[in-house]
Amino acid sequence: MAQSSTPESFTPSTTQSIGTERGIDPLLIIADQFAHSGQVIEIRPFGNGNINDTFLVTVDVPIDHQFILQRINTQVFRQPELVMQNMRVVTDHIHNRLQQESLDRRWETPRVLPTRNDRDHWEDGNGSFWRAISFIDQSQALDSIHDVEHAQEVGYALGNFHRLISNLNPNQLADTLEGFHITPRYLQHYHHVLNNIQSSSDVLTNEDVQYCIQWIVDRIELISVLEDAKNQGKLPLRLMHGDPKVNNVMIDIATQKSISLVDLDTVKPGLIHYDIGDCLRSGCNPLGEETQDWQGVRFDLNLCRGILQGYLSVAQAFLTAQDYDYLFDAIRLIPFELGLRFFTDHLEGDVYFKTKYPGHNLMRALVQFQLMSSIEQQEAAIRQIIEEMR
Ligand code: GN1
Ligand code: MG
């Protein structure tokens, strides 16, 4: 799968500079499809997404003057129209629900912005699939959690999101990414990739690669814990977000409260335990998932307590006793799953996640495995925190 490089940002010095000697900037033409009123004055790369290309567009109008422009990676999301359809179903549902109840805080849902001819996306001359989403005004997202209050807000955001979609019929949503967050499927793919690498290949002689291979062998029996629980009827199928990492939680700049959980591309029927595990693996790693100091990575218990407190302040109303029984397994499994995904991608030649340097996916895998190791070492303390919150 080809990696699309992120185009440079675009800033016309004046709005008249659209047609320059070098021609019209293609990004500007695309952004313009979604800018109904006013002129686009700035387009800059935004966030650290690993799959789609994301830009923040600024328009010279007083209200709604910024929006998010994204090129969907259609090698990953093979049916992007379904992603858009799901997004509409989810956002309409949340919007309607919020009109029927009063929440003690501001809560926002990203809106799909139509093109000039009222479509929910625009295809450029190269066949790329572009869509625009409203920007949550006066808010910011951070790549790692800075204190316990922030941790509680991140947990609250996931709990509130789960609550808001808990009465949406899962049949209304399409599966936009088959096999996503089904851990045994990633293991199957890993074995397939590993078996196809020649034993003489240079990639296998690397010390870190050998370390990861052994790591996976040693923990292989953990892989199906959540899927087994699902198949045995212990954990129910619900709607999940799919990617509730820290930088998808928007924090209101004035109040420091969480006000939105964005990135709705992977909302689909699944286990909410994958979400809980993902939120904790992303939130309780103060060095962040992009650090290159993988040996310094640790799982922070105070942040763990904070996220769970925030999450359970909403979710205790709908979690069952068996849901609690599997919380620790979820926390331990998701760094394993993501590490396995990064490692497989490294072995496959970086075909899925965008990379910034050779060996980037290998480094990311080491970070996740180290986080898992820290979770293993603190198992008793993490279980204790969960017990205290039941
Ligand atoms: C990807 O692109 P982004 O950053 O939103 C990935 C997630 C991973 C995450 C790790 C569709 O999300 O599953 O947890 O990277 N999304 C997909 O940072 O594979
Ligand atoms: Mg995402």
Side-chain angles (χ1 to χ4, degrees):
M1 179 190 317
Q3 279 307 311
S4 43
S5 61
T6 304
E8 302 280 290
S9 66
F10 167 80
T11 315
S13 49
T14 72
T15 48
Q16 278 77 43
S17 68
I18 289 170
T20 64
E21 285 147 36
R22 290 179 296 129
I24 299 175
D25 188 296
L27 254 186
L28 178 61
I29 297 177
I30 295 154
D32 198 47
Q33 298 302 318
F34 299 92
H36 297 243
S37 45
Q39 302 269 359
V40 172
I41 50 176
E42 191 192 37
I43 306 172
R44 63 179 162 89
F46 189 74
N48 296 316
N50 290 327
I51 309 289
N52 299 326
D53 292 330
T54 305
F55 302 89
L56 182 66
V57 178
T58 307
V59 185
D60 67 347
V61 288
I63 297 170
D64 287 345
H65 72 290
Q66 290 187 310
F67 65 85
I68 297 291
L69 178 67
Q70 284 187 308
R71 172 164 55 193
I72 304 283
N73 182 334
T74 49
Q75 299 293 328
V76 171
F77 295 105
R78 299 270 173 176
Q79 290 177 282
E81 307 79 20
L82 293 183
V83 172
M84 298 312 293
Q85 185 185 303
N86 277 3
M87 228 185 132
R88 250 194 327 272
V89 173
V90 172
T91 54
D92 285 353
H93 174 85
I94 296 179
H95 184 77
N96 292 338
R97 188 158 173 177
L98 285 174
Q99 292 205 312
Q100 289 156 23
E101 64 178 40
S102 58
L103 209 60
D104 61 352
R105 66 169 71 198
R106 173 185 174 203
W107 190 263
E108 307 264 351
T109 309
R111 282 173 292 121
V112 175
L113 304 179
T115 62
R116 284 175 188 277
N117 48 9
D118 215 24
R119 303 278 315 277
D120 64 12
H121 69 277
W122 196 73
E123 274 175 53
D124 69 15
N126 304 320
S128 291
F129 189 104
W130 294 86
R131 59 113 188 261
I133 300 171
S134 59
F135 181 69
I136 314 281
D137 205 22
Q138 301 299 317
S139 72
Q140 61 178 349
L142 302 163
D143 285 323
S144 53
I145 294 189
H146 48 78
D147 57 28
V148 173
E149 285 73 33
H150 184 196
Q152 287 169 337
E153 287 304 313
V154 167
Y156 173 89
L158 181 60
N160 199 35
F161 184 84
H162 281 166
R163 185 185 69 82
L164 288 168
I165 59 171
S166 61
N167 63 337
L168 172 60
N169 181 352
N171 295 334
Q172 280 188 260
L173 296 181
D175 189 346
T176 53
L177 204 51
E178 218 212 310
F180 185 64
H181 277 316
I182 310 260
T183 321
R185 295 272 288 261
Y186 294 116
L187 183 70
Q188 224 176 0
H189 182 56
Y190 162 70
H191 282 143
H192 174 77
V193 170
L194 192 63
N195 290 338
N196 281 324
I197 297 178
Q198 302 293 329
S199 51
S200 57
S201 163
D202 282 353
V203 77
L204 293 181
T205 57
N206 179 294
E207 224 177 79
D208 291 336
V209 167
Q210 284 302 324
Y211 173 84
C212 289
I213 291 174
Q214 191 57 45
W215 179 275
I216 295 163
V217 168
D218 291 345
R219 289 161 181 80
I220 215 145
E221 80 285 357
L222 297 176
I223 286 283
S224 60
V225 59
L226 292 185
E227 288 304 305
D228 287 349
K230 182 173 84 183
N231 296 335
Q232 292 158 7
K234 293 180 180 163
L235 295 178
L237 208 60
R238 297 176 169 113
L239 279 180
M240 63 173 188
H241 178 277
D243 192 13
K245 54 183 183 180
V246 171
N247 57 16
N248 281 332
V249 175
M250 304 306 295
I251 303 286
D252 184 292
I253 291 171
T255 63
Q256 294 298 304
K257 298 266 184 214
S258 57
I259 52 167
S260 188
L261 181 57
V262 298
D263 189 359
L264 304 177
D265 294 339
T266 46
V267 177
K268 63 177 210 165
L271 298 175
I272 56 172
H273 286 68
Y274 286 114
D275 276 355
I276 300 168
D278 199 53
C279 189
L280 283 142
R281 70 114 201 118
S282 142
C284 304
N285 168 8
L287 290 185
E289 64 187 78
E290 289 295 318
T291 181
Q292 295 189 38
D293 172 20
W294 67 269
Q295 276 154 326
V297 169
R298 65 187 171 81
F299 184 87
D300 187 299
L301 289 181
N302 287 328
L303 298 180
C304 168
R305 188 178 289 106
I307 293 179
L308 285 176
Q309 268 166 354
Y311 179 74
L312 294 171
S313 71
V314 191
Q316 65 181 0
F318 56 82
L319 291 189
T320 66
Q322 280 183 324
D323 283 327
Y324 282 88
D325 291 345
Y326 281 94
L327 286 183
F328 177 76
D329 294 296
I331 294 169
R332 178 173 50 190
L333 182 64
I334 305 309
F336 192 17
E337 180 192 277
L338 185 59
L340 181 64
R341 293 173 65 197
F342 284 141
F343 183 52
T344 306
D345 202 31
H346 172 73
L347 296 179
E348 231 180 336
D350 304 325
V351 294
Y352 186 93
F353 297 102
K354 287 192 227 172
T355 51
K356 296 200 173 108
Y357 58 89
H360 192 166
N361 276 320
L362 178 59
M363 178 56 70
R364 287 168 168 156
L366 290 166
V367 168
Q368 293 305 315
F369 290 161
Q370 187 67 15
L371 188 65
M372 183 182 181
S373 169
S374 175
I375 291 168
E376 288 171 339
Q377 283 157 19
Q378 300 181 90
E379 175 170 350
I382 299 170
R383 286 190 185 277
Q384 175 71 28
I385 291 175
I386 295 168
E387 282 313 306
E388 283 163 13
M389 292 191 194
R390 263 182 193 261

